[in-house]
Amino acid sequence: MGAKRIRTSAKKPSKTIVIQDTLTDRAKAWAEKNSLVIILVAAAILLPIIYSLGMSAYTARNEAKARTDYSAIAPKLPSGEKNTPEEWQKVMPDLEKFVSEHKGTQMAVIAQAGLAKAYYETRRYDDAIKTALDALKAAQPGPGLKPLIQYQLAYAYEAAGKRDDALREWTGLKSDAPGMEREADWRIAEIYAAGKDYSKAAEMYSKAIEAPGSYPPQPLLEQELSRAREQAGTGAKQESNTPAK
């Protein structure tokens, strides 16, 4: 189906879309819905890659030991109703110990992605950023794990108020992970809107609407696009009414 045409009518939508107040709240809402996406998807993608790399016997043994140890931690990772800061706090020492003991393995990179999320959920945003950056450096090249870590990093940058860094990560994700264009354009639009660059925000909301996918939902994007256009128009009107000095 084609992208739905957006009308700038002054009519209010028949059903109000509830929108969180801050970037952190919106990121939190997504994280609660998809608590294990980075860890589980990364593991599913990465393990076949590990076996295909022709590793030495020593490296293979280290990876096998790391996989065994990580299997004891994975069931403890919060999900569903247990996906709360308190639950992430409980598993954090296990993840920190695992990363320390299995440095140099790709399973440690997966654990770092989980640890970055644990720091994010407990509002330790600087630690989340540092851990995600370390994971990016250690991750194998290719399209599998790195985009997932970038995704975690982009949200951490937003929550820490580092908008330029977040813009860079979201923009990079659009080319590194084509399936994420819709959400990436939405996040970029949100950053511009937070900086009161409503014209640029409206442009990116429009791109998000046109991108394939279902998240964020169409009504929310349309409402935010309408709001950005209204704000952009108000700003232009105020500027035109400002007396010349």
Side-chain angles (χ1 to χ4, degrees):
M1 294 177 65
K4 183 177 180 180
R5 184 180 298 277
I6 307 302
R7 297 180 180 177
T8 56
S9 169
K11 291 182 179 180
K12 295 182 179 179
S14 58
K15 185 177 181 180
T16 301
I17 306 300
V18 178
I19 303 177
Q20 284 86 5
D21 292 331
T22 66
L23 291 172
T24 301
D25 288 341
R26 294 182 182 186
K28 175 75 172 177
W30 187 95
E32 288 175 349
K33 183 180 178 182
N34 301 275
S35 62
L36 298 182
V37 66
I38 293 174
I39 301 159
L40 297 183
V41 175
I45 293 173
L46 181 62
L47 293 182
I49 296 174
I50 291 174
Y51 284 114
S52 69
L53 291 178
M55 299 179 302
S56 67
Y58 174 78
T59 303
R61 283 196 300 271
N62 286 346
E63 291 288 355
K65 176 65 164 61
R67 285 197 303 277
T68 299
D69 291 351
Y70 187 75
S71 67
I73 298 175
K76 301 178 184 179
L77 297 173
S79 62
E81 293 181 358
K82 290 188 175 183
N83 186 29
T84 63
E86 292 74 21
E87 292 298 324
W88 280 106
Q89 186 70 47
K90 289 178 185 178
V91 77
M92 198 181 295
D94 290 334
L95 289 168
E96 291 172 333
K97 181 180 178 182
F98 182 92
V99 170
S100 176
E101 292 180 349
H102 295 283
K103 272 184 181 177
T105 68
Q106 289 300 292
M107 289 305 302
V109 177
I110 292 175
Q112 282 179 307
L115 183 57
K117 180 166 178 57
Y119 288 142
Y120 171 85
E121 290 294 337
T122 53
R123 298 182 182 274
R124 292 172 56 177
Y125 302 128
D126 288 340
D127 287 331
I129 291 168
K130 181 181 183 303
T131 302
L133 287 172
D134 288 344
L136 272 179
K137 292 176 184 177
Q140 292 284 357
L145 181 58
K146 283 195 171 186
L148 297 170
I149 301 171
Q150 286 176 267
Y151 182 90
Q152 181 74 27
L153 182 58
Y155 268 113
Y157 275 138
E158 279 195 54
K162 299 181 178 182
R163 291 173 179 165
D164 289 342
D165 293 318
L167 278 173
R168 184 186 66 245
E169 293 302 326
W170 285 121
T171 301
L173 269 172
K174 290 175 65 176
S175 57
D176 295 341
M180 292 184 180
E181 293 106 322
R182 185 181 179 94
E183 186 171 356
D185 284 333
W186 173 54
R187 300 313 309 159
I188 292 170
E190 293 289 277
I191 292 170
Y192 282 126
K196 301 188 185 303
D197 188 346
Y198 296 112
S199 294
K200 193 66 177 177
E203 177 187 339
M204 298 311 297
Y205 284 131
S206 295
K207 288 186 177 181
I209 288 171
E210 293 169 0
S214 59
Y215 183 83
Q218 192 86 351
L220 184 145
L221 290 175
E222 290 177 0
Q223 181 169 313
E224 293 192 333
L225 172 60
S226 177
R227 181 176 300 178
R229 284 176 171 171
E230 181 180 351
Q231 291 292 334
T234 300
K237 182 177 180 180
Q238 289 176 343
E239 183 177 344
S240 65
N241 290 335
T242 301
K245 293 182 179 180

